Amino acid sequence: PPTAVLPSGTDLPQITPNTCKTVDVAYAGKIEARKGIDLLVEAMVHLPGCRLAIAGGPKPEIPELRRRIHTSNLSSRIEVIGVIPAQAVSDFLCSARVGVCPLPQGYDAVSDRFTSPMKLLQMLSLGMAVVATDTAPVRAIARHGHDAWLVAPNDPKALAEGIQTLLNDPSLASRLGREAKRTAVRYSWSSRAENLERFIYSLSESVG
């Protein structure tokens, strides 16, 4: 039967968020293995001097994350902010020079095939320079070297090298950010609704 694949959507910022860069890297999302949080922490071992801020939940997972960070001797460079209001997420993300989407591959079928990373879309809509893992859900949205910097999944060192690449090359980061905003327009909630409406209309036309 006819099908339509609709990725998640994102809000397009109506005002310019806070642009004061207070950290090098920011992650916002669920604090769990299927989102790649463990890979991100491990990547920070390979980024001496780099500072990471993490916002998200659920709250019961935060003490264990902080314990892992402490065990890895990264407490001075990784700040776990925890859960923040939805309206504060954009400013939080924009406080970083680089955003990160470290999705793993092979964790489960849902993560590999049936997910659409909303935080990636949000970072693109904000015009951020983003490092993301090269998984099918990410490739459905972003292109390496065009609107994001994609790295091998399940590889903390590759993730670290991608982050370092953008931190070391502000002109590349700026170009990716500009293209990211253009890409995000295709994934606005209104664009998503229009695509769904066209699909439904095409079905009624075929029946008629």
Side-chain angles (χ1 to χ4, degrees):
T3 59
V5 178
L6 297 176
S8 294
T10 187
D11 293 315
L12 300 179
Q14 301 302 307
I15 59 173
T16 303
N18 168 39
T19 56
C20 179
K21 308 302 182 185
T22 57
V23 294
D24 298 305
V25 187
Y27 169 89
K30 290 185 177 178
I31 296 175
E32 52 186 34
R34 73 182 185 93
K35 294 296 185 180
I37 194 72
D38 296 337
L39 294 169
L40 179 55
V41 171
E42 191 173 345
M44 288 296 293
V45 174
H46 304 286
L47 289 165
C50 181
R51 295 179 60 238
L52 163 69
I54 297 173
K59 290 181 179 180
E61 298 296 326
I62 294 174
E64 173 59 21
L65 175 60
R66 287 179 172 146
R67 186 195 66 78
R68 292 200 302 272
I69 290 170
H70 177 75
T71 301
S72 301
N73 296 316
L74 295 169
S75 299
S76 64
R77 297 196 289 112
I78 302 180
E79 180 184 9
V80 182
I81 297 171
V83 179
I84 61 177
Q87 62 269 25
V89 173
S90 291
D91 277 344
F92 166 77
L93 288 170
C94 287
S95 70
R97 295 167 61 194
V98 173
V100 64
C101 180
L103 293 175
Q105 190 169 39
Y107 185 82
D108 58 30
V110 173
S111 298
D112 283 353
R113 301 176 59 192
F114 306 111
T115 188
S116 184
M118 295 183 72
K119 286 299 183 292
L120 171 61
L121 288 169
Q122 184 173 7
M123 289 188 287
L124 296 180
S125 75
L126 293 168
M128 294 185 67
V130 177
V131 175
T133 45
D134 191 1
T135 62
V138 171
R139 285 195 303 274
I141 296 170
R143 284 189 289 151
H144 173 65
H146 174 69
D147 46 20
W149 197 259
L150 306 189
V151 300
N154 305 341
D155 188 339
K157 189 172 182 181
L159 182 61
E161 289 172 352
I163 292 170
Q164 194 67 68
T165 294
L166 297 194
L167 290 176
N168 289 346
D169 192 339
S171 63
L172 171 61
S174 179
R175 179 175 63 79
L176 293 178
R178 289 194 301 271
E179 292 300 328
K181 293 186 76 170
R182 296 188 180 99
T183 294
V185 173
R186 301 200 304 269
Y187 298 97
S188 68
W189 290 114
S190 59
S191 294
R192 191 178 191 273
E194 289 167 4
N195 290 335
L196 179 57
E197 187 177 50
R198 278 194 295 269
F199 176 67
I200 294 172
Y201 182 75
S202 71
L203 295 180
S204 64
E205 285 288 288
S206 63
V207 171

